[in-house]
Amino acid sequence: MSIKENHKLIREQPLSLSLSLSLSLMEPDSNSSKSEVAFERLPMIRVYKDGRVERLLGTDFVPPSTDPETGVSSKDVTIPVAAAATTATSEPSSHVISARLFLPKLTDSRKLPLLIYFHGGGFCISSPFTAIHHGYLNALVAEAKVVAVAVDHRKAPEHPIPVAYEDAWAAIQWAASHCDGDGPEAWLNEHADFGRVFLSGESSGANIAHNTAMAVGDPELRLNIRLLGVALVHPFFWGSTPIGSEALPPNKRADVDWLWPFVCPSKPDNDEPWVNPMADGAPSLAGLGCGRVLVCVAEKDILKDRGQWYYEVLGRSGWMGVAEIMETEGEGHGFHLFDMKTEKAKDLIRRLADFLNRDLPPLMS
């Protein structure tokens, strides 16, 4: 089965953010009226009582290619998720997930930083194969000169949290299997520097990157590569008590409050540490398993204050790394994905590229 066919199957199977809602609603399937709607959040997703899930955004598929503008090449792979990675509440079985690899135009034989990337979409829509994420990764990989693995985790509600975290862990283990140069994927064997490994994502993908970095910091899990840094772009963190601008009118908390209980029905509290790592009783951020963190927030994003708070709590947690924060004025959640030719989007990509190459000699362009 091809990656495109697998993507279509996942999109249409029955039931068991980016928070940006600026895109227009696609026409529903002509058969949609034949069953009753159980849950609907427009323009993102619709769930029917017969178990079908209809995703209304993030369903397009751009094939891998060599991008004529940036020279970045891409190809699709599958990654095994072993039965041992599943939770006690899920049925023991093995799966494969999809990923897209990105390789910049090479000018010499120097090894490049490795970026493992998690897309946004509220854990329930989108993929690395959509036009916006494919284009964003082309731009970032070209600017930063990194090798990227963009992970297509399984989606809620069919696969509720923590499945996305399990898939992320499987992906980082798969990447680590190449550290001695004998893994299944030649691009990683030949071009990735496993002394410079980074995680990144935006929105729910940034949440996945954070929780994966916490797992990396757990000595019992014994990941055999060093995670150098994590870049969180407009991270999806939340909580039951409003903070900062969340408490000011007009109050838009309802736009966010629904999401976590929908994607994580087993632990629906918005103060669950997976979604609120600053909550009382949450594991200390001192356990974050990397040496550098960049948090990017946007002035008009309802999630901005959570990102700022995460940065502040991390700084006083006893964590031994270096944290920095970037705020983009006048912009909202995920703005860079929708028009990457603006100067503010280019500034964000340049800042990420700088973070991925800090204290390293500049690569030849």
Side-chain angles (χ1 to χ4, degrees):
M1 179 182 293
S2 70
I3 299 293
K4 184 175 182 179
E5 290 169 336
N6 186 55
H7 175 67
K8 184 174 185 291
L9 179 64
I10 290 171
R11 188 178 76 197
E12 295 178 350
Q13 65 187 318
L15 174 62
S16 38
L17 166 87
S18 167
L19 293 172
S20 291
L21 301 181
S22 58
L23 298 182
S24 61
L25 175 62
M26 295 174 60
E27 285 296 320
D29 186 273
S30 60
N31 293 323
S32 296
S33 60
K34 293 183 179 180
S35 59
E36 193 174 348
V37 173
F39 177 87
E40 184 176 70
R41 190 71 191 187
L42 299 179
M44 291 177 68
I45 195 165
R46 183 180 292 127
V47 182
Y48 295 92
K49 287 187 177 180
D50 68 2
R52 288 186 302 114
V53 177
E54 187 178 17
R55 291 179 169 84
L56 307 171
L57 290 177
T59 61
D60 60 302
F61 182 94
V62 176
S65 63
T66 297
D67 181 57
E69 184 175 345
T70 63
V72 172
S73 298
S74 55
K75 66 177 174 179
D76 293 340
V77 299
T78 56
I79 296 172
V81 181
T86 59
T87 64
T89 59
S90 58
E91 295 183 9
S93 59
S94 297
H95 306 273
V96 294
I97 56 173
S98 304
R100 179 159 290 180
L101 307 188
F102 294 81
L103 184 69
K105 185 177 181 180
L106 300 172
T107 57
D108 57 34
S109 60
R110 194 181 315 200
K111 297 250 178 167
L112 307 175
L114 173 62
L115 173 65
I116 302 172
Y117 169 82
F118 307 104
H119 66 85
F123 306 99
C124 61
I125 64 169
S126 201
S127 79
F129 315 125
T130 62
I132 60 170
H133 290 115
H134 180 83
Y136 167 66
L137 284 160
N138 276 336
L140 179 58
V141 166
E143 181 70 28
K145 293 185 172 59
V146 298
V147 182
V149 178
V151 181
D152 186 26
H153 62 81
R154 287 170 289 169
K155 308 295 188 296
E158 301 96 323
H159 303 287
I161 298 295
V163 169
Y165 303 145
E166 295 166 359
D167 289 351
W169 186 251
I172 196 171
Q173 287 182 306
W174 176 83
S177 73
H178 297 78
C179 66
D180 293 327
D182 57 358
E185 176 45 54
W187 282 8
L188 299 188
N189 290 331
E190 296 169 11
H191 304 297
D193 181 349
F194 285 90
R196 296 181 287 167
V197 179
F198 295 84
L199 303 181
S200 185
E202 86 280 335
S203 194
S204 60
N207 175 291
I208 294 170
H210 157 75
N211 282 292
T212 305
M214 290 294 289
V216 171
D218 184 345
E220 293 185 4
L221 295 180
R222 300 180 182 178
L223 188 69
N224 65 341
I225 58 172
R226 176 191 177 198
L227 180 60
L228 187 54
V230 177
L232 307 178
V233 181
H234 309 165
F236 172 57
F237 299 132
W238 201 237
S240 60
T241 303
I243 64 170
S245 60
E246 298 169 14
L248 301 177
N251 192 314
K252 295 185 178 180
R253 279 184 56 89
D255 291 344
V256 184
D257 278 338
W258 69 276
L259 180 56
W260 185 254
F262 175 67
V263 301
C264 188
S266 65
K267 296 185 178 182
D269 192 331
N270 274 316
D271 286 323
E272 160 61 39
W274 283 332
V275 70
N276 186 0
M278 296 78 70
D280 291 342
S284 172
L285 295 182
L288 202 66
C290 62
R292 286 195 256 148
V293 169
L294 170 64
V295 181
C296 300
V297 297
E299 180 186 12
K300 295 183 178 180
D301 183 6
I302 191 173
L303 302 179
K304 179 192 74 170
D305 293 311
R306 298 284 167 175
Q308 176 74 38
W309 190 21
Y310 176 92
Y311 165 76
E312 294 170 359
V313 172
L314 178 62
R316 58 177 182 262
S317 69
W319 176 66
M320 300 303 292
V322 177
E324 54 192 286
I325 191 166
M326 172 190 184
E327 179 174 344
T328 303
E329 296 180 355
E331 297 292 349
H333 188 82
F335 74 92
H336 57 294
L337 297 175
F338 301 105
D339 190 354
M340 281 175 286
K341 295 190 181 298
T342 67
E343 281 306 310
K344 289 180 180 179
K346 291 177 181 178
D347 285 345
L348 176 58
I349 289 173
R350 282 192 289 263
R351 181 67 176 269
L352 289 165
D354 175 72
F355 178 78
L356 298 173
N357 289 281
R358 189 75 48 79
D359 301 324
L360 300 171
L363 295 172
M364 294 177 63
S365 58

